[in-house]
Amino acid sequence: AQSVTQLDSQVPVFEEAPVELRCNYSSSVSVYLFWYVQYPNQGLQLLLKYLSGSTLVKGINGFEAEFNKSQTSFHLRKPSVHISDTAEYFCAVSDLIERGKLIFGQGTELSVKP
Amino acid sequence: EAEVAQSPRYKITEKSQAVAFWCDPISGHATLYWYRQILGQGPELLVQFQDESVVDDSQLPKDRFSAERLKGVDSTLKIQPAELGDSAMYLCASSFQLRNTEAFFGQGTRLTVV
């Protein structure tokens, strides 16, 4: 069985400050890792994914994440946030076969203040 | 740009009534997913189709929920009768094939049961 824990339910931050959204996962098998963003009353948009290779993954909108196998973590970072980054962020895992069959965390609400 | 289409975007229904949601996946995508997202939580998979066949409906409350994809293209998710606890966002996603491809999400249907 797989599970995902997002360690912060809400993260308030000022504009142009750096941010880190934390994600830990648990699985008895190897997994792929994803971060999705959801704007109010919208669907999910893929920010980035880790499948293999370099543990530092770069995504859209200036976000990046680092896969740490020993700590079973996949934290999301951005060096300087904008007001437009205000949204809900979801960490998710899948097995190595069916990437569309996702287990999601509870979400982290990022609130960027001017 | 190809998108997953869902309708309606918003639906308000009274408890004990029937309600249905429609999803049209990206053209050519064989795999279709329905997820339910309760407010403040991450999405959870309800049902997965490969073409017209159900691959996984283990989390679908079959006493009141049904899903079909008769021609292997668009899909309908039905709830009858609706209960207050069914209030949620219902997200449809599709992927090109079952294995080794990411899922793309639609905008969702926000259901409110009163």
Side-chain angles (χ1 to χ4, degrees):
Chain A
Q2 300 152 1
S3 66
V4 177
T5 301
Q6 293 184 237
L7 299 168
D8 307 290
S9 58
Q10 294 180 319
V11 173
V13 64
F14 287 106
E15 193 174 19
E16 298 183 7
V19 70
E20 178 180 79
L21 307 184
R22 298 179 295 166
C23 172
N24 286 353
Y25 70 93
S26 173
S27 177
S28 57
V29 299
S30 296
V31 295
Y32 291 146
L33 295 145
F34 305 83
W35 275 98
Y36 285 86
V37 61
Q38 184 177 39
Y39 299 100
N41 288 314
Q42 299 291 316
L44 299 172
Q45 181 182 10
L46 181 64
L47 272 180
L48 50 77
K49 62 189 176 189
Y50 174 77
L51 304 182
S52 64
S54 172
T55 57
L56 183 63
V57 180
K58 294 190 183 298
I60 62 171
N61 301 341
F63 284 93
E64 63 181 31
E66 186 156 19
F67 170 56
N68 187 318
K69 188 174 183 179
S70 63
Q71 297 187 6
T72 60
S73 67
F74 190 53
H75 300 334
L76 181 70
R77 302 186 183 102
K78 186 169 183 178
S80 175
V81 295
H82 303 287
I83 297 289
S84 59
D85 292 324
T86 295
E88 190 89 16
Y89 291 80
F90 291 95
C91 181
V93 301
S94 75
D95 64 29
L96 301 189
I97 304 298
E98 296 186 62
R99 296 181 205 164
K101 200 169 181 179
L102 297 157
I103 304 294
F104 287 89
Q106 296 289 86
T108 296
E109 182 183 345
L110 175 64
S111 176
V112 181
K113 304 177 186 305
Chain B
E1 183 176 315
E3 293 183 345
V4 176
Q6 289 189 248
S7 67
R9 290 292 313 279
Y10 303 92
K11 180 71 176 179
I12 300 174
T13 191
E14 294 182 348
K15 64 180 182 179
S16 79
Q17 296 298 304
V19 64
F21 316 125
W22 178 78
C23 171
D24 191 13
I26 293 172
S27 178
H29 279 199
T31 309
L32 185 145
Y33 310 84
W34 283 102
Y35 284 83
R36 177 172 61 182
Q37 183 182 15
I38 295 170
L39 188 64
Q41 299 183 20
E44 294 180 318
L45 182 68
L46 289 176
V47 62
Q48 177 188 8
F49 288 91
Q50 177 66 19
D51 299 312
E52 67 276 8
S53 300
V54 173
V55 175
D56 183 357
D57 63 356
S58 58
Q59 300 303 309
L60 188 71
K62 299 182 189 61
D63 57 335
R64 297 184 301 107
F65 286 65
S66 64
E68 60 183 16
R69 194 183 184 200
L70 293 176
K71 296 183 179 179
V73 181
D74 58 335
S75 175
T76 302
L77 179 68
K78 298 178 182 177
I79 308 175
Q80 183 174 17
E83 296 180 353
L84 295 178
D86 296 331
S87 294
M89 174 79 90
Y90 290 83
L91 294 163
C92 180
S94 69
S95 61
F96 180 68
Q97 58 187 20
L98 192 69
R99 299 173 178 234
N100 303 323
T101 58
E102 281 76 33
F104 294 85
F105 284 82
Q107 297 295 291
T109 296
R110 168 73 68 188
L111 172 67
T112 302
V113 182
V114 297

